[in-house]
Amino acid sequence: LQKKWTGVDIPSAQYGGRHAVTMLPGGGIGPELMHYIREIFRFVGAPVDFEVIEIDPSTEGNDDLDYAITSIKRNGVAIKGNIETKSQGLDEVSRNVAIRNELDLYVNVLHCRSYPGIPSRHKNIDVVLIRQNTDGEYAMLEHESVRGVVESMKVVTVENAERVARYAFEYARQNNRKKVTTIHKANIMKLSDGLFLEVAKNVHKEYPEIEHNNMIIDNTCMQLVSNPHQFDVMNMTNLYGTIVSNVICGLIGGAGLLSGANYGDHFAVFEPGTRNTGTAIAGKNIANPVAMINASADMLNHLGHKEHARVIYEATYETVVNDGIRTPDLGGTASSTDVVENILKILARKRVN
Ligand code: ATP
């Protein structure tokens, strides 16, 4: 069970001791960030071979998406940039959402920890955000019932609400966390969010040593900005999850720092925590590579290459915190390649045991 809840039992393809991992660069800054990942992995000798699949959202049909999903099903594990969604027509679903749904990646985990020395509103934040990742407000069931009236369905199921609540409480138990807060708007959405909350309360009965409270989403945003230290582990539906993760990442240092992981019972996909495309900053050598590098280290951890993961985390942290080599989003003047070169310089001194 322990393995299951840390995601480690998810099967992964291995050939001659090396892991095969699907790499989806996505749009915007994705390709340049993936280039850095390959450079760093080569440098530390990480035993991973990438199967790189480009998804062009402007092409007709879903061949490249199907190919990507088949590849992740074969390899078990993927690293991913964001696939741009704005160029799509009204009748097309987001490829990002399609990948999560098709692979049943029902939980998104974002560990939000402050970096010392990075200018931020609050210090020492340490919150784990657990988000339902496949239904809720992202059901994409919208229609115009009569002209001028559009309806959008929010779907909450007992099965998915229970899986994500259990993940949150199990995460708390195994990581020595004290409290889970379920986020909702059950005062207004009495049936949908009411069910999500009721399921969480029921699951909590199996975890008496963990405190459980609940908070309305609007108050949560205010509390996060004014007093984020009251939160420990948070459990929430899909749309609240994307809002809250952006609020917390904004409090800590923006889109370029934190990584997020998507887990189902069979597959795992790693990516930057706030899932931005970064179209406006692409190709300028200013994108912060840290979130993607952290995602790649999360992936190595997941595959069991703990030492490779450790040296990459350490070198990245030392670059940003100790050496102060920071891209403009963190108030620095360094380029993306300055950050990566400094990481490689530190990695040259570190040993993979
Ligand atoms: P779009 O699809 O138009 O790019 P989006 O919703 O994905 O939109 P972005 O505009 O890409 O969001 O990102 C939000 C903000 O975060 C932007 O100001 C962007 O420059 C910034 N940002 C995102 N990722 C990074 C990064 N790795 N380094 C620095 N800034 C980043």
Side-chain angles (χ1 to χ4, degrees):
L1 188 69
Q2 168 142 14
K3 275 187 168 181
K4 179 176 167 108
W5 292 104
T6 49
V8 188
D9 73 331
I10 296 171
S12 55
Q14 215 175 354
Y15 306 95
R18 295 179 68 81
H19 279 99
V21 167
T22 305
M23 176 180 269
L24 308 178
I29 54 177
E32 58 200 86
L33 299 181
M34 291 305 187
H35 171 75
Y36 305 140
I37 301 303
R38 279 181 288 189
E39 212 169 328
I40 291 169
F41 275 35
R42 219 177 4 249
F43 196 83
V44 296
V48 169
D49 294 316
F50 290 111
E51 185 178 355
V52 182
I53 299 173
E54 313 280 352
I55 297 181
D56 179 356
S58 61
T59 53
E60 291 228 342
N62 282 331
D63 286 357
D64 45 3
L65 177 69
D66 292 342
Y67 183 43
I69 290 170
T70 306
S71 165
I72 301 172
K73 285 185 175 166
R74 187 172 53 240
N75 294 328
V77 176
I79 184 161
K80 178 180 172 301
N82 204 43
I83 302 158
E84 202 254 322
T85 52
K86 286 176 191 155
S87 65
Q88 293 185 263
L90 284 181
D91 52 349
E92 286 178 76
V93 300
S94 154
R95 262 90 161 161
N96 302 296
V97 175
I99 289 170
R100 296 197 288 272
N101 289 354
E102 188 67 28
L103 299 172
D104 192 24
L105 298 168
Y106 60 85
V107 65
N108 176 253
V109 183
L110 189 66
H111 189 173
C112 308
R113 247 174 316 189
S114 298
Y115 275 70
I118 301 280
S120 61
R121 198 182 170 93
H122 297 282
K123 299 203 182 339
N124 302 320
I125 293 178
D126 184 357
V127 180
V128 181
L129 204 148
I130 311 272
R131 162 184 179 189
Q132 208 296 321
N133 212 19
T134 48
D135 56 20
E137 306 83 351
Y138 283 48
M140 296 186 297
L141 296 171
E142 294 184 312
H143 58 269
E144 190 173 30
S145 46
V146 291
R147 201 167 167 71
V149 180
V150 171
E151 293 170 331
S152 177
M153 271 192 252
K154 164 170 176 165
V155 176
V156 175
T157 61
V158 171
E159 187 192 357
N160 279 336
E162 192 173 323
R163 289 201 291 180
V164 74
R166 199 170 291 287
Y167 196 101
F169 283 108
E170 199 64 38
Y171 184 101
R173 177 175 279 172
Q174 294 195 20
N175 292 280
N176 213 13
R177 296 267 171 168
K178 305 282 176 267
K179 183 168 78 173
V180 172
T181 305
T182 295
I183 310 303
H184 63 93
K185 188 75 181 171
N187 53 333
I188 305 294
M189 281 166 267
K190 291 182 193 287
L191 286 182
S192 53
D193 279 15
L195 180 63
F196 190 82
L197 179 58
E198 185 192 323
V199 168
K201 285 179 177 171
N202 279 337
V203 172
H204 174 233
K205 290 178 190 151
E206 297 169 43
Y207 298 85
E209 80 280 15
I210 313 276
E211 185 189 339
H212 181 226
N213 67 347
N214 66 83
M215 195 176 282
I216 291 175
I217 177 65
D218 32 357
N219 185 29
T220 302
C221 291
M222 185 167 62
Q223 294 297 326
L224 272 171
V225 173
S226 53
N227 177 19
H229 300 106
Q230 67 187 287
F231 296 104
D232 190 349
V233 175
M234 301 171 93
N235 167 44
M236 66 198 76
T237 58
N238 215 335
L239 184 64
Y240 306 154
T242 193
I243 295 168
V244 169
S245 53
N246 275 262
V247 172
I248 305 186
C249 286
L251 284 176
I252 286 177
L257 280 179
L258 302 179
S259 53
N262 305 284
Y263 297 114
D265 287 337
H266 306 292
F267 311 108
V269 175
F270 299 87
E271 63 186 345
T274 50
R275 298 173 175 166
N276 298 112
T277 318
T279 314
I281 56 170
K284 297 186 173 160
N285 199 13
I286 53 170
N288 189 343
V290 169
M292 190 66 90
I293 296 170
N294 281 334
S296 76
D298 295 346
M299 184 196 80
L300 285 168
N301 246 340
H302 170 81
L303 292 172
H305 302 301
K306 309 268 178 212
E307 277 297 301
H308 291 91
R310 176 184 63 80
V311 291
I312 293 174
Y313 284 131
E314 284 177 6
T316 307
Y317 186 90
E318 285 171 32
T319 294
V320 173
V321 175
N322 305 1
D323 298 345
I325 313 274
R326 299 172 190 161
T327 42
D329 55 301
L330 300 178
T333 54
S335 64
S336 319
T337 44
D338 290 338
V339 174
V340 174
E341 276 163 22
N342 199 73
I343 289 172
L344 295 178
K345 205 170 76 191
I346 297 172
L347 284 171
R349 299 198 298 264
K350 286 189 184 285
R351 275 180 50 152
V352 176
N353 294 320

